Amino acid sequence: MTTAPPQRLLALAQLSNSIGDGAYYTTSALYFTQIAGLAPARVGLGLTVGWAVGSLAGVPLGRFADRRGARGTAVLLALATGLAVASFTLVRDFVPFVLVACGYAAAQSGLAAARQALLAGLVPAGERTGLLARLQATLNAGLAVGAGLGGLALHAGSRSAYVAVFVVDAVSFLVCALLLLGLPRVPSSAVSAVSAAGGRARLGGVLRDRPYAVVALLNTVLLLRLPLLSLVLPLWITSRTGAPAWLVSALFVLNTAVVTVFQVRAARGVTGLDSATRVLRRSGWVMCAACAVFALSAGASPWVAAGVLVLGALLQVVAEMGQSAGSWQLSFDLAPADRVGEYQGLFGTGVTVARTLGPLLLTWLLVEWGTPGWLLLGAAMLTASYAMGPAARHASRRGAVSRPQSLPASTTPAPH
């Protein structure tokens, strides 16, 4: 079956900026410390402040996308992200670095919310989770290609090579903006809804929808898996196991490859609230098992530890794919049809919170505490997975929630 043009453009836009992001992620830390001359502690502080600001910006920028149009907002925020990336090459002092980091994180958070609102307006409700699975696979493929480009810059080690990476990332967001501009317009229906809601929207908006906020909070707990591959497992492998250090890279490649190949298959059958909560419960058990397996690698001989870690990584990526599919479905199904951008802005803050607070929490819990920490994390994941069911059902019963499936046909442009 041929992919409809809007879906193809969304995938190409995802591929474009993920290639740039892959190159940026692999080189940015060394660029800021070795080329820009910032102290590592200041880089960490600046990025933490930036993502904290970004998490706060997601909801208002998502609301702006609902009111003013998702396509135009997404295009502007893609351009703003590219401008912020390019501005990093001019930074030499801490205060400008923090300001640019805030702009970068805010634009990225708003772009994610606007793109979700755009997707909701262009794709029928029953097809959204499947498309998001394809976009996730595309994202991982793009990150892998970008990481390869970043590796070339790391090998060269020169200022010009690092700057070239930032230029590639900036251009990737320019290409993303041009691709998004080619999508059909999504009619904005939030203005009348906000006016009718009166003070409720102005005084809290999505934050006043407590059942949805609880679902978003539970999803944030599940997203604590995000720092595992990038930070916690490298520290765990080198400090608590006898496994070779190169296994860190191998596990990252394994995760990326499995998601690229199997994410779409993992999302099949997730079409509504019941199927989403079922897959989340199953994934909770798998994630709990992954944590227990990771704990078994402590103190084992090098090759035994390596085998155990590979098994744990396989279980983790299976859980990750299921959790992603289930949470995508809930995030759309439980959001009012005319305020998808605003609601996705709140749901997306889970990623920012997990990446900002997760490293500190999990480093202490797992690397410092060891096996009991792994078991506690697994129990927390399982508990959050089971709590998603009643929380989602409670949110779905709220009279104020207008399900995406109830959109009139005229508000969902037909692909062309």
Side-chain angles (χ1 to χ4, degrees):
M1 181 177 177
T2 304
T3 304
Q7 297 184 1
R8 187 159 52 241
L9 285 175
L10 286 168
L12 288 173
Q14 180 78 288
L15 179 64
S16 172
N17 70 252
S18 64
I19 290 174
D21 278 345
Y24 169 83
Y25 292 150
T26 55
T27 58
S28 58
L30 291 179
Y31 172 81
F32 294 138
T33 55
Q34 297 182 5
I35 306 299
L38 297 171
R42 289 198 158 197
V43 172
L45 176 60
L47 292 177
T48 299
V49 171
W51 284 112
V53 171
S55 67
L56 297 176
V59 171
L61 287 174
R63 184 181 301 166
F64 184 86
D66 291 331
R67 295 186 184 187
R68 302 300 181 186
R71 187 187 70 169
T73 303
V75 169
L76 289 175
L77 289 172
L79 293 174
T81 305
L83 178 62
V85 170
S87 299
F88 276 129
T89 63
L90 305 177
V91 167
R92 296 294 179 274
D93 297 313
F94 178 65
V95 172
F97 170 70
V98 173
L99 293 176
V100 175
C102 289
Y104 172 79
Q108 281 274 47
S109 298
L111 176 59
R115 284 167 77 157
Q116 296 291 72
L118 184 58
L119 182 149
L122 294 173
V123 180
E127 300 177 15
R128 290 172 193 161
T129 297
L131 176 58
L132 282 166
R134 292 194 291 276
L135 293 179
Q136 184 69 15
T138 301
L139 170 68
N140 277 264
L143 289 175
V145 173
L149 296 175
L152 295 176
L154 293 174
H155 179 72
S158 64
R159 173 181 172 79
S160 58
Y162 281 103
V163 170
V165 165
F166 280 73
V167 171
V168 166
D169 195 18
V171 171
S172 77
F173 279 95
L174 173 60
V175 173
C176 172
L178 293 175
L179 290 167
L180 293 175
L181 194 60
L183 290 166
R185 286 184 178 273
V186 175
S188 174
S189 58
V191 176
S192 59
V194 169
S195 298
R200 182 181 184 277
R202 289 192 296 272
L203 292 176
V206 63
L207 296 178
R208 292 175 61 90
D209 190 342
R210 291 185 184 131
Y212 189 90
V214 169
V215 172
L217 178 61
L218 292 171
N219 185 62
T220 302
V221 175
L222 299 180
L223 287 172
L224 287 175
R225 68 177 187 271
L226 292 177
L228 286 179
L229 274 180
S230 60
L231 176 67
V232 177
L233 279 175
L235 295 175
W236 175 262
I237 288 171
T238 54
S239 66
R240 290 284 196 141
T241 79
W246 55 260
L247 190 63
V248 172
S249 176
L251 294 181
F252 181 83
V253 172
L254 174 66
N255 180 278
T256 301
V258 171
V259 173
T260 301
V261 176
F262 294 107
Q263 179 67 78
V264 174
R265 185 177 302 177
R268 287 176 187 164
V270 181
T271 56
L273 188 149
D274 290 338
S275 56
T277 54
R278 278 198 304 270
V279 77
L280 284 169
R281 285 194 298 270
R282 287 197 301 267
S283 298
W285 280 109
V286 177
M287 191 65 200
C288 187
C291 290
V293 170
F294 282 135
L296 292 175
S297 64
S301 62
W303 292 110
V304 170
V308 170
L309 288 165
V310 169
L311 175 59
L314 286 172
L315 290 171
Q316 187 223 330
V317 73
V318 170
E320 173 186 331
M321 292 187 293
Q323 288 174 350
S324 295
S327 63
W328 292 332
Q329 188 72 37
L330 295 182
S331 71
F332 281 110
D333 278 7
L334 300 175
D338 54 5
R339 295 168 65 191
V340 173
E342 180 184 353
Y343 273 62
Q344 289 294 323
L346 176 65
F347 209 82
T349 60
V351 175
T352 306
V353 172
R355 291 198 181 280
T356 303
L357 301 181
L360 179 63
L361 174 63
L362 295 187
T363 299
W364 169 77
L365 184 67
L366 305 179
V367 180
E368 297 296 329
W369 207 11
T371 298
W374 280 110
L375 298 179
L376 182 59
L377 177 64
M381 294 282 193
L382 183 59
T383 301
S385 298
Y386 267 77
M388 273 290 204
R393 285 191 292 272
H394 179 49
S396 70
R397 288 194 296 266
R398 294 279 289 187
V401 173
S402 174
R403 307 293 281 289
Q405 290 89 335
S406 65
L407 270 172
S410 62
T411 65
T412 305
H416 61 270

